[in-house]
């Protein structure tokens, strides 16, 4: 995928617009300009823009395969965008990927848990990579009601319990940006409410959340974005670079 | 420095643990995982001893012939044993999503690769080192050769694991990735094999094995410097 | 340039190769000249090869040198080209470099095989065996496996781009290792130098034998350049075909999508 | 051009040159036939997607990537 730099000169980011909700605190802003994504030889979306202030929640919607997961992976810098720019506080994320990775938690479809290790050991490892103490792990487990399962090998846990354990990984080490790919799948009603409470607490503390979900979560004034509204320009568009070249 | 949650939430993530701490934590986890399923390390050693035992059936048990081919057999079978265990280096983490999170963690990916290779060497390379004298005994290697054989393998097997890690990382997500690793990695193993065997041969011939060991040490340092970086690049592609 | 207006965006297709149109026109322009130069060089080289004096020791079999050495040179030259193209592809993400590496690999492998076979044909009259563990032949044999590994991993992925990038890393790792392998094989060869295998010292190259050799090498290189351009066109057209097929599949899934380039809402 | 050309090693010299010719012609044949097939498929697909003006003026602004 050719990371195309020449087009950025044309859409130089203007000064970040004032926080719409009139919040006095000049919190951080997370924005995307003209994002394009190619996975394999297929263009997933193009020309996608979004803007998320501190404390904001962006809910991605769209049918399966419309690119919600791909967008989340682009935001997590796992998948370099084929076009466009990601801006954190006005600064291009690509310029300092380490800093961007340090400020986010990504929760994908996989739970990244080892069946042989216990719940505490699994969480302890991930928190350890963020240099967090055992205390933070215990608190995170407690918040998702897993305190008594701490010493259980993960292979004995149910799918729902594993899902909650995976989500509690995010609470163990605070990071401003949460990227959640269908976090509520497999959770029972009580856990969904816990998840919503945690997200609201995170937002209240000035954090940002981008999540893709099919089951609606009731969050305070979420911003909606349908990835479907940014289909890639079909290959045979007028600006076809092949025109007049073949024969 | 006590930071209340809001500041850390708004300001930015925490700087990760130091490189050494991050390295140690990954090694600790991998070793704990390996201990919980001891099979893999044992399989590698069993394969090593079993394959080395096959040669006399093929070539005959004529003592000084076996003695002459002893270093070669030990090294080739050790190399194949390491090769067999390479696929599980990243595959399980790739499949259960751990690799993505490691790529996103503050600990740099090359350090994580180095840690995983160290854990792999401790669970595969070291047992081979322990089993090598048994095979040397079966082949009647003269006593003088054991020390050099172990020294050479101590320098060579980590290099094999490091180069193998690049092969394992490259084939993640490929159709029948595991079958591909030998084809990618074996040509790169040839220098280690040549110097490893010639170190023991030199010792047998009464010459000093210093040049061979020095070259293998240089090879190891080069591998430590370049392989994690190349494997990390391959892993970044795999988690896209 | 993409406009921010709410009107349907005229974004460029994301499959931007470095302006394939220009490369294809450039290739079409240079190919005839390349083929002519290649044919000329080979013709002159062959004439020179067959009129050059025969080496007193090896007799006429030395004439094999005029294909064996250029093939060995091309094997190395192609691998270097692949390594450079891979570096460009990985560092500057230049899509054409990716394609060049993938297109060159089979050509390199074929000439490496040619070099091995002609080497053994050359060695047979002298040593009575088809294969001899001579340092250079063994290094070329290892290089042949590096080529096979490169081709295998380039095709091992469903996603062509992923395969090319993985092959690029392997090419760089392999390129770093080639001198090390060469050094270790030379070391190994001198150690196990059995009496019967006399190192085939490069025959004293008399000038009348040298210029045909260089001309043949030039001819081989020109052939490589021409075949590379043709194979790169194949890769480009293949990619284009896949894109068109993918796009038409996508469009068939869109009820009421206009035929021409109007971006329609993808229902898929 | 008598004996030197053939000499007693003719059995080795000619196969080498023959093989070189085979490799070169083989590569060329494989690549050119594939090129022809690709062009045929592309032309068919292009026509199938409606009569786009094929020959665009050279002044068409091919955008630099």
């Amino acid at each position: 995928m050719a990371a195309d730099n020449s087009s950025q000169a044309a859409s130089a980011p203007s000064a970040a617009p004032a926080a719409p909700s009139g919040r006095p605190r000049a919190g951080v802003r997370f924005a995307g300009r003209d994002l394009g994504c190619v996975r394999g030889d297929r263009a997933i979306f193009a020309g996608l823009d979004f803007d998320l202030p501190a404390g904001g929640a962006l809910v991605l919607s769209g049918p399966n395969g419309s690119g919600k997961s791909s967008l989340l992976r682009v935001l997590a810098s796992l998948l370099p965008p084929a076009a466009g720019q990601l801006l954190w506080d006005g600064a291009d994320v690509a310029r300092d990927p380490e800093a961007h990775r340090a400020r986010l938690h990504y929760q994908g479809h996989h739970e990244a848990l080892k069946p042989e290790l216990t719940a505490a050991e699994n969480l302890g490892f991930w928190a350890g990579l963020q240099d967090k103490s055992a205390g933070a792990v215990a608190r995170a487990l407690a918040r998702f009601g897993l305190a008594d399962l701490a010493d259980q090998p993960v292979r004995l846990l149910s799918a729902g319990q594993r899902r909650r354990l995976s989500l509690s990984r995010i609470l163990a080490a605070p990071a401003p940006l949460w990227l959640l790919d269908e976090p509520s799948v497999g959770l029972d009603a009580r856990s969904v409410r816990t998840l919503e409470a945690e997200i609201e607490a995170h937002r209240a503390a000035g954090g940002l959340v981008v999540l893709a979900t099919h089951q609606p979560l009731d969050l305070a004034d979420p911003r909606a974005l349908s990835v479907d509204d940014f289909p890639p320009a079909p290959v045979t568009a007028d600006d076809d670079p092949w025109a007049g070249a073949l024969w | 420095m006590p930071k209340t949650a809001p500041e850390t939430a708004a300001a930015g993530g925490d700087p990760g643990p130091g490189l050494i701490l991050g390295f140690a934590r990954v090694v600790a986890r991998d070793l704990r995982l390996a201990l919980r399923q001891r099979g893999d390390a044992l399989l590698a050693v069993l394969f090593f001893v079993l394959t080395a035992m096959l040669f006399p059936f093929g070539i005959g048990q004529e003592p000084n012939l076996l003695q002459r081919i002893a270093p070669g057999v030990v090294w080739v079978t050790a190399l194949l044993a390491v090769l067999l265990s390479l696929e599980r280096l990243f595959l399980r983490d790739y499949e259960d999503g751990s690799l993505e999170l490691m790529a996103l963690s503050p600990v740099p990916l090359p350090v994580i690769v180095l840690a995983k290779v160290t854990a792999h060497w401790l669970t595969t390379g070291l047992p081979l080192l322990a089993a090598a004298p048994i095979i040397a005994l079966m082949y009647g290697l003269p006593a003088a050769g054991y020390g050099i054989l172990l020294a050479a393998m101590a320098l060579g097997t980590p290099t094999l694991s490091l180069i193998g890690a690049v092969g394992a990382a490259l084939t993640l997500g490929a159709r029948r990735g595991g079958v591909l690793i030998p084809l990618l990695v074996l040509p790169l193993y040839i220098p280690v094999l040549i110097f490893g065997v010639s170190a023991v041969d030199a010792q047998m011939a009464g010459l000093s094995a210093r040049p061979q060991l020095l070259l293998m040490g240089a090879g190891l340092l080069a591998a430590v410097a370049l392989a994690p970086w190349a494997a990390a690049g391959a892993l970044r592609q795999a988690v896209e | 340039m993409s406009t921010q207006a709410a009107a349907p965006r005229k974004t460029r297709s994301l499959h931007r190769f470095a302006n394939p149109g220009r490369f294809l026109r450039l290739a079409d322009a240079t190919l005839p000249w390349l083929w002519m130069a290649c044919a000329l060089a080979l013709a002159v080289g062959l004439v020179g090869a067959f009129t050059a004096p025969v080496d007193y020791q090896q007799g006429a079999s030395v004439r094999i040198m005029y294909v064996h050495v250029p093939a060995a040179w091309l094997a190395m030259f192609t691998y270097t080209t692949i390594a450079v193209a891979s570096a460009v592809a990985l560092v500057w993400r230049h899509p054409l470099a990716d394609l060049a590496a993938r297109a060159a690999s089979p050509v390199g492998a074929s000439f490496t095989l040619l070099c091995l076979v002609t080497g053994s044909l050359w060695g047979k009259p002298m040593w009575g065996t088809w294969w001899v563990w001579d340092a250079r032949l063994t290094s070329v044999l290892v290089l042949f496996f590096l080529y096979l590994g490169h081709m295998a991993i380039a095709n091992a992925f469903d996603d062509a781009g992923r395969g090319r990038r993985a092959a690029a890393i392997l090419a760089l790792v392999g390129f770093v290792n080639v001198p090390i392998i060469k050094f270790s094989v030379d070391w190994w060869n001198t150690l196990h130098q059995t009496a019967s295998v006399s190192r085939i010292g490069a025959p004293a190259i008399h000038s009348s034998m040298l210029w045909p050799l260089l001309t043949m090498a030039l001819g081989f290189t020109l052939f490589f350049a021409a075949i590379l351009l043709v194979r790169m066109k194949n890769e480009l057209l293949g990619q284009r075909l896949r894109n068109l097929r993918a796009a038409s599949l996508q469009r068939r899934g869109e009820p009421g999508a206009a035929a021409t380039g109007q971006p329609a809402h993808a229902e898929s | 051009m008598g004996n030197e050309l053939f000499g007693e090693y003719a059995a080795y010299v000619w196969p080498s040159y023959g093989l070189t010719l085979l490799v070169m012609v083989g590569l060329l044949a494989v690549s050119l036939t594939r090129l022809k097939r690709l062009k045929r498929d592309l032309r068919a697909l292009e026509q199938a997607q409606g009569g786009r003006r094929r020959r665009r003026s050279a002044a068409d602004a091919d955008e630099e990537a």
Side-chain angles (χ1 to χ4, degrees):
Chain A
M1 282 158 308
D4 169 26
N5 300 322
S6 60
S7 78
Q8 278 133 17
S11 57
S14 58
S21 60
R23 253 208 222 144
R25 232 161 42 73
V28 291
R29 298 200 73 76
F30 185 42
R33 293 277 179 277
D34 187 25
L35 284 175
C37 168
V38 170
R39 280 192 91 169
D41 296 335
R42 209 166 65 85
I44 309 290
F45 56 78
L48 187 142
D49 295 297
F50 74 88
D51 190 33
L52 192 61
L58 183 63
V59 179
L60 308 178
S61 61
N64 299 359
S66 60
K68 299 196 296 296
S69 299
S70 302
L71 176 58
L72 280 171
R73 294 179 79 88
V74 169
L75 301 185
S77 79
L78 280 174
L79 174 61
Q85 240 184 348
L86 274 174
L87 305 169
W88 179 269
D89 248 354
D92 186 351
V93 157
R95 214 162 282 124
D96 185 358
E98 262 78 28
H100 184 63
R101 282 197 284 266
R103 65 169 80 103
L104 65 86
H105 272 308
Y106 171 73
Q107 171 63 46
H109 298 300
H110 303 287
E111 275 128 17
L113 299 172
K114 294 292 178 190
E116 299 88 0
L117 299 180
T118 69
E121 281 166 347
N122 266 300
L123 226 53
F125 171 68
W126 292 117
L129 285 191
Q130 312 271 351
D131 200 17
K132 275 290 156 280
S133 66
V137 169
R139 278 197 304 278
L141 283 173
R143 292 213 332 241
F144 260 101
L146 295 165
D148 49 5
L149 298 173
D151 302 328
Q152 285 279 345
V154 166
R155 67 174 182 281
L156 303 177
L157 299 183
S158 74
Q161 286 164 333
R162 279 200 209 134
R163 194 71 198 172
R164 284 177 11 221
L165 180 60
S166 180
L167 285 170
S168 60
R169 174 180 58 78
I170 294 173
L171 306 180
L177 176 61
W178 288 5
L179 303 169
L180 310 175
D181 201 342
E182 291 174 27
S184 56
V185 77
L187 290 185
D188 52 37
R190 197 168 53 79
S191 312
V192 170
R193 278 196 301 283
T194 320
L195 173 66
E196 283 158 356
E198 290 304 333
I199 292 179
E200 291 307 335
H202 173 70
R203 291 175 61 189
L208 301 90
V209 179
V210 180
L211 56 94
T213 182
H214 287 302
Q215 302 150 331
L217 293 170
D218 69 352
L219 304 171
D221 66 67
R223 294 180 176 215
L225 176 105
S226 168
V227 183
D228 238 14
D229 300 343
F230 305 92
V235 171
T236 57
D238 296 342
D239 57 1
D240 171 3
W242 292 83
L246 291 190
W247 33 72
Chain B
M1 56 199 178
K3 263 192 177 174
T4 56
E7 273 71 22
T8 49
D14 293 287
L19 297 187
I20 308 299
L21 210 52
F23 176 86
R25 284 185 177 142
V26 177
V27 173
R29 182 192 80 135
D30 272 24
L31 286 184
R32 188 179 294 137
L33 270 175
L35 283 179
R36 296 276 164 84
Q37 11 147 254
R38 259 180 298 282
D40 295 350
L42 219 55
L43 277 179
V45 178
L46 281 181
F47 171 83
F48 175 50
V49 176
L50 194 58
T51 331
M53 204 182 62
L54 290 180
F55 284 83
F57 296 113
I59 303 174
Q61 78 283 11
E62 204 250 341
N64 54 36
L65 172 63
L66 286 186
Q67 193 183 352
R68 223 153 53 82
I69 64 168
V73 165
V74 167
W75 266 101
V76 168
T77 42
L79 187 142
L80 294 177
V82 170
L83 198 62
L84 270 182
S85 66
L86 283 178
E87 189 176 15
R88 63 176 172 76
L89 195 52
F90 298 116
L91 194 59
R92 281 195 51 212
D93 283 339
Y94 173 72
E95 277 162 356
D96 69 23
S98 306
L99 211 56
E100 282 173 358
L101 297 187
M102 286 179 187
L104 293 176
S105 75
V107 180
L109 202 47
V111 171
I112 291 182
V113 167
L114 197 58
K116 289 189 79 61
V117 167
T118 311
H120 173 263
W121 182 72
L122 290 173
T123 51
T124 319
L126 222 48
L128 295 187
L129 235 66
I134 303 168
I135 296 169
L137 202 68
M138 279 200 289
Y139 279 69
L141 190 71
Y146 284 73
I148 292 296
L149 177 66
L150 289 181
M153 282 185 78
L155 288 172
T157 43
T159 316
L160 298 181
S161 292
L162 281 162
I163 298 174
V166 179
L170 279 173
T171 57
L172 280 178
R175 294 190 297 269
R176 297 182 330 280
V179 174
L180 217 53
I181 295 180
L183 178 60
L184 308 186
V185 162
L186 277 179
L188 310 178
Y189 275 0
I190 288 174
V192 177
L193 177 62
I194 288 176
F195 291 124
V197 175
S198 81
V200 184
D201 285 347
Q203 182 70 18
M204 292 297 102
L207 307 166
S208 138
R210 228 172 79 82
Q212 283 88 347
L213 292 180
L214 287 178
L215 282 170
M216 291 183 78
L220 176 58
L221 289 181
V224 167
L226 295 176
W229 182 69
L235 290 182
R236 283 239 177 271
Q237 284 178 12
V239 291
E240 259 177 20
Chain C
M1 286 313 166
S2 63
T3 57
Q4 300 295 348
R9 239 173 285 275
K10 187 182 97 45
T11 49
R12 274 181 314 262
S13 139
L14 287 175
H15 297 279
R16 274 180 316 284
F17 286 100
N19 198 328
R22 208 154 50 81
F23 165 77
L24 287 170
R25 276 194 293 279
L26 213 63
D28 289 344
T30 51
L31 265 174
W33 298 102
L34 273 178
W35 286 125
M36 272 191 286
C38 164
L40 185 66
L42 287 181
V44 168
L46 277 175
V47 165
F50 280 95
T51 54
V54 167
D55 173 78
Y56 64 90
Q57 181 204 10
Q58 297 173 20
S61 73
V62 81
R63 294 202 197 290
I64 299 178
M65 165 181 78
Y66 294 111
V67 272
H68 175 68
V69 173
W73 146 256
L74 202 53
M76 273 311 298
F77 178 74
T78 309
Y79 200 77
T80 316
T81 315
I82 291 176
V84 168
S86 302
V88 167
L90 283 178
V91 173
W92 289 286
R93 284 186 176 265
H94 192 298
L96 276 186
D98 248 359
L99 290 185
R102 187 181 153 84
S105 194
V107 177
S110 320
F111 278 99
T112 313
L113 191 60
L114 178 67
C115 170
L116 286 171
V117 173
T118 49
S120 84
L121 276 172
W122 189 1
K124 177 77 169 75
M126 248 171 300
W127 302 310
T129 62
W130 285 109
W131 176 256
V132 80
W133 289 92
D134 163 69
R136 281 170 305 190
L137 277 184
T138 315
S139 305
V140 172
L141 179 64
V142 174
L143 182 64
F144 182 59
F145 285 113
L146 289 178
Y147 273 115
L148 292 188
H150 185 265
M151 281 154 56
I153 195 153
N155 303 318
F157 294 88
D158 305 328
D159 160 17
R162 169 87 169 79
R164 283 197 299 266
R165 284 196 306 282
I169 290 187
L170 182 72
L172 289 182
V173 170
F175 189 67
V176 165
N177 276 285
V178 161
I180 301 170
I181 292 173
K182 183 84 179 74
F183 170 74
S184 62
V185 167
D186 286 348
W187 171 296
W188 164 79
N189 189 265
T190 49
L191 279 185
H192 296 272
Q193 186 73 62
T194 51
S196 70
V197 175
S198 67
R199 264 181 70 82
I200 39 169
I205 299 282
H206 183 267
S207 68
S208 71
M209 297 165 80
L210 186 59
W211 70 264
L213 191 60
L214 295 180
T215 322
M216 286 294 280
L218 176 66
F220 272 54
T221 312
L222 289 170
F223 175 84
F224 167 69
I227 201 82
L228 182 63
L229 287 182
V230 172
R231 292 180 65 81
M232 280 177 75
K233 275 173 71 172
N234 288 355
E235 294 282 336
L236 272 172
L237 298 187
Q239 185 70 38
R240 169 88 174 129
L241 201 60
R242 274 195 300 274
N243 297 349
L244 283 184
R245 286 210 178 109
S248 67
L249 277 178
Q250 203 179 359
R251 183 162 305 103
R252 207 161 297 129
E254 293 157 0
T260 55
Q262 185 63 26
H265 280 284
E267 296 308 322
S268 66
Chain D
M1 299 268 272
N3 187 340
E4 293 82 13
L5 184 62
F6 295 101
E8 69 283 13
Y9 301 119
Y12 303 104
V13 174
W14 288 117
S16 311
Y17 283 78
L19 203 62
T20 311
L21 191 66
L22 184 70
V23 165
M24 284 190 170
V25 168
L27 278 172
L28 197 58
V30 164
S31 306
L32 287 181
T33 44
R34 192 151 168 263
L35 182 66
K36 216 176 267 86
R37 188 172 51 77
L38 283 170
K39 278 194 175 177
R40 188 169 38 81
D41 294 351
L42 270 173
R43 191 169 292 160
L45 209 59
E46 295 258 335
Q47 261 142 18
Q49 283 170 356
R52 242 177 5 84
R53 290 180 318 286
R54 188 163 357 284
R55 178 76 48 200
R56 293 182 68 91
S57 65
D60 166 47
D62 273 343
E63 282 153 79
E64 180 54 34

